[in-house]
Amino acid sequence: MSYHQYKHYRHRAIFNVMRKGGGKGRPALIEWLTIQPKYRKIIIEKYGDPEKMTAQNGLTRHLEFDTKAQTFFREYEYDSGKGLTKETIAEYTANASIYNAVIRYVANRRSFRRKLGKNRASDIWDEASRLISQLDTKQWPHRLPSSVRRLKPGIKEYKEMGYKSLIHRNFGNKNSEKVNNDAKQWLLARWGNQVKRVPTLAHLLECYNEKATREGWKLLQEEKTLYNFLYTPEIESIWYGHRYGELQAKKRGVYQHSTKLPGCRDALWYGDGTKLNYFYLHEGKIKTCQVYEVIDSYSEVLLGYHISHQENYKAQYSAFRMAIQNAGHRPYQISVDNQGGHKKLETGNFLNNICRIAIKTQPHNPNSKTIESVFGRFQKQYLAQDWFFTGQNVTAKSDRSHANMEFILSNRDKLPSLEEIKKIYAKRRKQWNEAPHFATDIPKIKMYEESVNEKAPAVSIWDMVDWFFVERSKPVTITPYGIQFTEQKQTYTYMVYKDDGLPDLEWLNRHIDQRVHIKFDPEDMSSIYMYEFTPLGLRFLKEATTKIEIYRAIQDQDEWEAKYIRQIQDAANALRITRRDEMDEILAKHGMRAEDYGLNSPGIAGIEGNKKTKVGKKRCKAAKKQDKVAPATVGAEMKSIANLTELEEEPLDLYSRY
């Protein structure tokens, strides 16, 4: 409404103004229920229903994923040059995001309570700590305290020090286990005791420390240690039935299954394989193949697919990869059956990595999978338009669902090839995605693109590395030639390069002979990621790209190659001199140079001559006589030894020191 109309409504008390607007951008507050229904309707359409919004967790309205924190923890390195593991990065990022939300929440609540004349801040902190304990730890894998006594100092330190305050001071040190096996067994028994129940972890901690004092176990300071042990999935499944009853344990096992379709994109993806309903000709024989599809249940958009002769791990992996790339977001839930290569996907924890929840649907139950209905309509409406359509499954009753085999056999020589089939199928998929959705009459792809799912975070480059890069089963040794290994009978060589395009010789020199674990993209072998093994897991080391090759023969070389060779040679020489000088300084500091023993240090072969150093003013006659002898080069001496045909003494063993 206009400001004039607003003043008119206010003076006539048509709505209740709880606070007038003022200077410095202070807005007016109007009681919601006194606003006229027609204006409430407009507000709800534009901003949402405030009554429903306030019924949700008050903290989640302020909770946003802190991408700056994620970047900080990914790039953080200790003085030793080592960084954080993936699990620790996820935990610290969640901690920072929640602390940001708590700060905003407390400030908002304080302002609101002052308006109402209530000034007790302790109630606000009690409420904030309670809301933290209600957060979904799968979405926000934090380990923040649930007590006000420990929460407030943590917030204070976070405000003063920023992200660095969240990094555990002892991270990277593999401390001895806090709870031994006997203590674990006792904790499990005490927590699952059905007669003498332990109501809270705080009570359990008190009981444990009393027992630990008598048994000589290590005392515990935090409830978090008990929580980390008892609430791991494999341990929780043991005591859950004893503590809450077997019926509750049964419900807990199947609770995530849903019977209602989602209301936004990326809430639920289905993955399934079926016969690609096209005949094609291969070496004179009529054949069919399989297709694995991934769809978005909300919009019925076909997100990713892979065509192969059978449904296997590779087909499923490739289809989900395409779906992730097309969506640009991580789905909340993925549902697949328990057949084909899904068991291998599950064993590798692939599905759990790319989504929050991975569920196996009931086999032989088409009503439980939206994808079955989508396939059926896709076949009838689009694939059936082509004369080489195979028809639907054998149980289909409609004549339209069966192929005209007489016509197909009469034209078998005109059947398309497999490559042509793939192009035709891609075209039909595009038509399906651009067609109106049966429920909304909006194009499926538009319906998908305009939808927003706040619980489906955007996918980063590090997510793609973690999900789709393959880790070699065996580590690789770094050599002066670079990082070399063989995959699928093909040899690949990589090198770490600097921004100027030259090899990073300093990095290479420091990591010669180090064994590293390799992750690579099977569909793009132009670069690899190297990791080093630590007791806490793999830690990212460096990215390497395909090594540049140059011609040996000068006549084959381009101008840039000759310049490239000189640049690398100059850099290598400088590095050799730097390394030699560093060692000379160490030897000089401890009086252990060759000159300190009356001898001369040689120069670097190929770069320097013999080093001219004085060993003192008084030199023996033998030393003076030796100075008159022309200095021999290493190459000349080695060649003269190689040309000897007879030795009067024992043969010279040049390699005895090895």
Side-chain angles (χ1 to χ4, degrees):
M1 63 180 67
S2 66
Y3 181 62
H4 176 76
Q5 187 178 7
Y6 167 78
K7 290 174 63 177
H8 174 70
Y9 276 34
R10 185 182 67 187
H11 290 309
R12 293 185 60 191
I14 294 177
F15 48 65
N16 180 24
V17 178
M18 301 178 66
R19 184 187 71 187
K20 294 181 180 180
K24 298 182 179 180
R26 185 183 69 187
L29 294 178
I30 303 172
E31 186 177 356
W32 168 253
L33 294 178
T34 64
I35 300 175
Q36 286 183 300
K38 66 176 182 178
Y39 291 115
R40 288 209 303 267
K41 182 180 179 182
I42 296 173
I43 293 171
I44 290 173
E45 290 176 353
K46 189 170 184 180
Y47 300 105
D49 190 339
E51 293 186 64
K52 293 182 180 179
M53 293 165 62
T54 54
Q56 300 171 357
N57 185 329
L59 186 63
T60 58
R61 294 200 299 272
H62 301 278
L63 191 53
E64 298 177 357
F65 186 82
D66 193 338
T67 55
K68 292 183 179 179
Q70 185 185 49
T71 301
F72 176 84
F73 294 125
R74 282 194 181 280
E75 297 177 352
Y76 183 84
E77 290 184 353
Y78 288 93
D79 295 336
S80 62
K82 296 183 177 181
L84 305 173
T85 59
K86 182 177 69 173
E87 292 76 11
T88 308
I89 292 171
E91 177 191 336
Y92 288 171
T93 303
N95 292 349
S97 302
I98 295 170
Y99 270 170
N100 295 338
V102 170
I103 293 170
R104 290 192 289 265
Y105 173 79
V106 170
N108 180 274
R109 294 295 294 169
R110 280 177 171 170
S111 174
F112 180 73
R113 294 178 73 87
R114 281 197 296 269
K115 298 182 185 76
L116 300 179
K118 300 178 180 180
N119 298 317
R120 284 190 58 191
S122 60
D123 294 343
I124 301 174
W125 284 103
D126 289 336
E127 190 175 358
S129 62
R130 178 182 61 82
L131 294 176
I132 289 176
S133 66
Q134 295 176 355
L135 291 175
D136 184 358
T137 54
K138 291 184 178 179
Q139 182 180 4
W140 303 97
H142 70 91
R143 295 187 181 181
L144 295 176
S146 58
S147 64
V148 177
R149 180 176 59 85
R150 295 178 54 228
L151 176 63
K152 292 179 71 175
I155 291 287
K156 181 180 178 181
E157 187 177 8
Y158 178 71
K159 287 181 176 180
E160 294 174 353
M161 298 178 57
Y163 298 138
K164 195 171 183 179
S165 68
L166 299 174
I167 299 176
H168 197 281
R169 294 174 179 83
N170 290 328
F171 181 85
N173 299 327
K174 188 170 177 60
N175 299 326
S176 59
E177 197 172 24
K178 293 182 179 179
V179 183
N180 61 37
N181 290 332
D182 291 339
K184 288 179 180 178
Q185 292 292 321
W186 184 88
L187 281 171
L188 194 56
R190 191 69 185 88
W191 188 244
N193 193 321
Q194 297 171 311
V195 180
K196 295 183 178 180
R197 294 175 58 83
V198 181
T200 64
L201 287 175
H203 188 186
L204 180 63
L205 178 64
E206 183 180 346
C207 295
Y208 171 83
N209 283 333
E210 291 177 0
K211 178 74 173 178
T213 302
R214 296 193 301 269
E215 298 293 336
W217 298 338
K218 182 181 292 186
L219 296 178
L220 299 180
Q221 304 297 325
E222 298 178 325
E223 300 172 20
K224 182 175 67 174
T225 305
L226 301 178
Y227 180 89
N228 292 343
F229 166 65
L230 291 171
Y231 282 86
T232 54
E234 64 273 16
I235 299 300
E236 186 177 8
S237 63
I238 298 175
W239 58 258
Y240 199 93
H242 285 73
R243 191 168 178 84
Y244 301 116
E246 288 302 321
L247 289 178
Q248 289 297 323
K250 182 180 178 181
K251 288 181 180 180
R252 175 177 171 271
V254 295
Y255 181 76
Q256 291 179 339
H257 288 280
S258 176
T259 58
K260 293 183 179 181
L261 294 179
C264 62
R265 60 173 278 180
D266 303 326
L268 172 60
W269 287 4
Y270 277 108
D272 199 5
T274 187
K275 182 180 74 173
L276 176 54
N277 301 89
Y278 282 146
F279 288 119
Y280 71 94
L281 194 65
H282 178 70
E283 296 180 352
K285 296 180 180 180
I286 298 178
K287 292 190 173 185
T288 60
C289 55
Q290 296 279 324
V291 62
Y292 191 92
E293 281 281 3
V294 178
I295 74 162
D296 173 61
S297 182
Y298 160 72
S299 62
E300 295 191 347
V301 166
L302 302 175
L303 287 171
Y305 74 103
H306 184 80
I307 296 174
S308 57
H309 291 292
Q310 60 181 353
E311 180 185 342
N312 53 26
Y313 168 80
K314 181 179 179 181
Q316 296 153 5
Y317 177 90
S318 299
F320 278 111
R321 177 192 178 109
M322 180 186 292
I324 289 289
Q325 289 176 323
N326 289 335
H329 288 263
R330 178 186 180 190
Y332 187 92
Q333 177 183 333
I334 290 177
S335 290
V336 296
D337 58 30
N338 198 27
Q339 302 173 9
H342 292 138
K343 293 182 179 179
K344 188 172 182 180
L345 289 178
E346 184 180 3
T347 302
N349 210 30
F350 173 77
L351 294 178
N352 288 330
N353 285 336
I354 66 173
C355 70
R356 285 182 56 189
I357 301 174
I359 294 178
K360 291 179 289 187
T361 58
Q362 285 186 343
H364 313 296
N365 185 15
N367 293 331
S368 68
K369 295 186 288 185
T370 305
I371 197 168
E372 298 284 355
S373 171
V374 171
F375 271 140
R377 286 181 279 123
F378 181 45
Q379 291 167 353
K380 289 179 182 179
Q381 299 171 17
Y382 293 91
L383 301 188
Q385 297 180 30
D386 298 302
W387 66 269
F388 39 85
F389 177 62
T390 67
Q392 294 178 262
N393 58 50
V394 294
T395 61
K397 298 180 180 179
S398 172
D399 291 337
R400 295 182 306 169
S401 300
H402 294 280
N404 184 347
M405 292 306 301
E406 294 179 12
F407 185 80
I408 290 173
L409 293 174
S410 298
N411 295 276
R412 62 182 299 159
D413 59 323
K414 296 180 177 62
L415 284 171
S417 65
L418 180 59
E419 292 302 317
E420 291 172 329
I421 286 291
K422 291 180 179 180
K423 294 178 181 179
I424 296 169
Y425 185 76
K427 175 183 175 182
R428 295 303 184 194
R429 289 180 79 258
K430 187 173 184 292
Q431 292 174 347
W432 167 271
N433 287 341
E434 294 175 349
H437 190 279
F438 72 92
T440 63
D441 205 32
I442 300 173
K444 300 181 187 70
I445 189 67
K446 183 178 180 181
M447 186 176 168
Y448 179 79
E449 291 174 346
E450 293 182 350
S451 177
V452 177
N453 188 343
E454 296 178 354
K455 295 185 178 181
V459 175
S460 68
I461 180 61
W462 286 105
D463 292 328
M464 297 299 292
V465 172
D466 292 339
W467 300 339
F468 299 109
F469 276 44
V470 176
E471 181 182 346
R472 295 192 79 248
S473 58
K474 296 181 180 179
V476 178
T477 301
I478 299 175
T479 70
Y481 290 98
I483 305 95
Q484 189 176 85
F485 58 88
T486 301
E487 285 292 325
Q488 301 294 325
K489 299 181 180 180
Q490 185 171 349
T491 300
Y492 299 91
T493 306
Y494 299 89
M495 180 61 66
V496 176
Y497 289 94
K498 298 186 294 185
D499 294 338
D500 59 5
L502 294 176
D504 193 338
L505 302 183
E506 175 71 23
W507 184 91
L508 181 65
N509 186 265
R510 287 189 286 108
H511 292 84
I512 290 293
D513 292 335
Q514 180 177 350
R515 293 176 66 79
V516 293
H517 293 261
I518 302 296
K519 287 186 178 182
F520 61 90
D521 183 354
E523 297 183 8
D524 182 9
M525 298 294 292
S526 61
S527 65
I528 60 172
Y529 282 67
M530 292 180 288
Y531 295 78
E532 61 177 343
F533 177 78
T534 72
L536 299 176
L538 294 181
R539 180 181 287 110
F540 176 69
L541 191 62
K542 204 74 172 178
E543 179 184 5
T545 55
T546 302
K547 186 179 180 182
I548 298 173
E549 292 184 340
I550 56 177
Y551 284 105
R552 288 190 181 186
I554 295 178
Q555 71 174 28
D556 295 328
Q557 293 178 358
D558 292 331
E559 182 178 349
W560 72 269
E561 290 180 277
K563 180 180 178 182
Y564 182 75
I565 293 172
R566 289 194 300 272
Q567 288 176 318
I568 295 177
Q569 186 62 49
D570 291 343
N573 291 344
L575 181 61
R576 290 175 64 189
I577 294 172
T578 300
R579 288 286 183 264
R580 191 274 314 281
D581 291 345
E582 288 178 0
M583 190 61 201
D584 278 354
E585 289 180 7
I586 296 173
L587 292 171
K589 182 178 179 181
H590 295 279
M592 295 184 183
R593 296 176 304 171
E595 286 74 10
D596 295 319
Y597 297 102
L599 302 174
N600 293 329
S601 297
I604 298 178
I607 302 177
E608 302 172 333
N610 287 338
K611 295 172 64 177
K612 303 287 187 178
T613 56
K614 295 183 179 179
V615 298
K617 294 182 178 180
K618 296 181 179 180
R619 295 187 297 174
C620 64
K621 294 181 179 180
K624 291 181 179 180
K625 184 177 180 181
Q626 185 179 5
D627 287 343
K628 297 179 181 179
V629 180
T633 64
V634 175
E637 287 296 326
M638 294 298 293
K639 186 172 182 180
S640 64
I641 293 173
N643 290 332
L644 289 178
T645 57
E646 232 178 31
L647 291 175
E648 296 180 0
E649 301 179 2
E650 289 292 326
L652 180 61
D653 185 0
L654 297 175
Y655 306 99
S656 59
R657 64 186 180 128
Y658 298 106

